[in-house]
Amino acid sequence: MDPASEPQQISKKNINRLKIIAILLTIAGLALFAYFVYAVGFSEIYDGVTRFGVAGFAVILTIYFLRICARAYAWKLSVFEPYHLRLRDTVPAVMIGEALSSTIPLGILVSGTSKAVAVRKRVPLVVGLSSVATENLFYSFVTGIFLVLGALTLIRSFAIDEGVELTINLLIAALMILMILGVIMVIRQWHFASESLEWLYQKGFLRRLLENGRLDVRLFENFIYGFYRRYPNRFVPICLLQALYHCLGIAEVWYILSRISDSYPSLLNAFLLESVSRLITILFKLIPFMIGVDEAGAQFVGQTVGMAAGVGVTIAIIRKGRILFWTAVGMVLIVKRGLTVGEIARESRAQRPKYRHQSDRNSEDNDSQD
């Protein structure tokens, strides 16, 4: 076997395994979705959607567009000089990435690359990929804080099963450790994660997985450290934009509750529903549109906080309509620009070596500046 082709074959095997897992999870999600519709009752869900109305749907479409703009602006701020992107570049690109991420089982693997490909006429593909990676790291950090706050609020404010409470506490501890460690690593500029993976690789552990994985982790470390050195004043604005993204999500849930509930909605309930929805989005990204699992999470929160039966499921279904609309817009943009999933995947593989080389060069340049 050609040594150069071995990593590609391993990658193909991993992707095929992910495809199988994604298909099985999608089937399970469809079954779960059918169960919740049956358990709640189609007529009750239909009444809730009808009560929400076309005007209500237009409002949540607008709110989600603002969320897209928030992440698009955060991405704009994540681009290294002398290159720059405009909002009219990043907003359509984010829509394209979200469309691919939502519709295909392995969309999470190509959504970031698709954003960079969508703006390749404005900046080199390597620059687009690095800026997307940087923005994603900020998003992950702020999302971690959001999830911790949601989990703490849930277990401190409501009575839940002891087993569920233990699981949530473990999740909180893990997230807090990762976030604290991440902040320390950025400030001190430690290559702790990549060095640990390199040590495991040299010792013979998980060699196939770490063949490329350890290099990708090193890549992300170099990008975020380089960005921290050159643009420390951008950290707070980018984090605030990511926080705005989540706050708009809470506003969306609150607005839906205000349209379909008989009583005045609680902001706390909207916060909990959005935080659980965000967690499900992260855990079950392989399932297109989070079919079934999103309804399950919303129903769990609804029952925990004492909402009327079926409200949680109705919220999840209404939000799915919003996802479908913006996914359709993203698909139109993909067709208009002549992009295909195959092309995006090929670009990602072709640029990976250049991507790493550029990362190492940026790191060396930053070291020389110090």
Side-chain angles (χ1 to χ4, degrees), residues 7-304:
Q8 293 183 357
Q9 293 185 5
I10 293 172
S11 178
K12 289 180 180 178
K13 288 181 181 179
N14 290 334
I15 289 176
N16 288 333
R17 289 171 185 166
L18 284 174
K19 285 181 179 178
I20 294 172
I21 294 172
I23 291 171
L24 293 176
L25 287 174
T26 301
I27 294 172
L30 288 169
L32 195 61
F33 178 80
Y35 165 76
F36 278 111
V37 171
Y38 171 78
V40 173
F42 177 81
S43 60
E44 183 171 342
I45 295 174
Y46 178 78
D47 290 341
V49 173
T50 303
R51 183 186 302 182
F52 188 67
V54 176
F57 192 65
V59 171
I60 65 169
L61 290 179
T62 303
I63 292 174
Y64 193 72
F65 178 73
L66 294 176
R67 299 182 75 186
I68 290 174
C69 289
R71 288 205 66 179
Y73 198 84
W75 176 18
K76 177 180 180 296
L77 293 179
S78 301
V79 179
F80 282 75
E81 295 177 354
Y83 303 101
H84 71 279
L85 290 172
R86 303 161 299 182
L87 272 179
R88 63 179 179 179
D89 302 316
T90 56
V91 168
V94 171
M95 290 181 183
I96 289 172
E98 290 296 309
L100 290 176
S101 179
S102 298
T103 52
I104 60 178
L106 296 179
I108 189 174
L109 301 180
V110 296
S111 61
T113 305
S114 66
K115 296 177 186 178
V117 171
V119 298
R120 61 186 171 181
K121 292 183 179 180
R122 291 287 305 171
V123 298
L125 191 57
V126 171
V127 175
L129 288 168
S130 65
S131 59
V132 168
T134 302
E135 189 273 334
N136 280 336
L137 288 172
F138 280 102
Y139 171 77
S140 298
F141 175 74
V142 176
T143 300
I145 296 175
F146 182 66
L147 293 178
V148 167
L149 292 175
L152 285 172
T153 303
L154 183 64
I155 63 175
R156 298 293 183 267
S157 304
F158 301 95
I160 58 177
D161 182 77
E162 290 184 2
V164 175
E165 183 176 355
L166 176 61
T167 302
I168 293 175
N169 280 322
L170 291 175
L171 175 65
I172 292 172
L175 284 173
M176 291 185 69
I177 290 172
L178 288 173
M179 287 189 296
I180 292 172
L181 184 61
V183 171
I184 294 174
M185 286 172 60
V186 170
I187 294 175
R188 302 298 298 272
Q189 299 183 30
W190 292 342
H191 287 84
F192 174 78
S194 59
E195 292 296 337
S196 298
L197 295 179
E198 182 66 32
W199 182 85
L200 289 173
Y201 180 78
Q202 296 299 331
K203 294 295 182 180
F205 297 107
L206 304 172
R207 289 189 69 88
R208 289 189 174 186
L209 179 63
L210 297 178
E211 179 70 31
N212 293 316
R214 73 193 199 285
L215 302 178
D216 289 334
V217 172
R218 180 80 177 196
L219 167 74
F220 288 143
E221 287 176 335
N222 287 342
F223 278 137
I224 197 65
Y225 296 162
F227 192 83
Y228 173 74
R229 292 177 180 182
R230 295 179 63 179
Y231 311 109
N233 59 327
R234 294 189 189 180
F235 268 48
V236 172
I238 294 176
C239 286
L240 289 176
L241 286 166
Q242 304 292 4
L244 176 62
Y245 174 86
H246 292 298
C247 289
L248 287 170
I250 297 171
E252 179 185 74
V253 176
W254 183 89
Y255 179 75
I256 296 173
L257 282 171
S258 70
R259 300 276 298 190
I260 66 174
S261 299
D262 295 326
S263 58
Y264 188 78
S266 164
L267 193 60
L268 174 62
N269 291 348
F271 168 62
L272 292 175
L273 283 163
E274 173 60 14
S275 61
V276 170
S277 175
R278 188 54 37 195
L279 177 61
I280 288 172
T281 300
I282 295 170
L283 295 179
F284 298 97
K285 198 63 176 177
L286 287 177
I287 302 179
F289 301 107
M290 278 75 69
I291 187 75
V293 291
D294 203 14
E295 287 75 16
Q299 184 71 355
F300 166 74
V301 175
Q303 291 176 345
T304 302

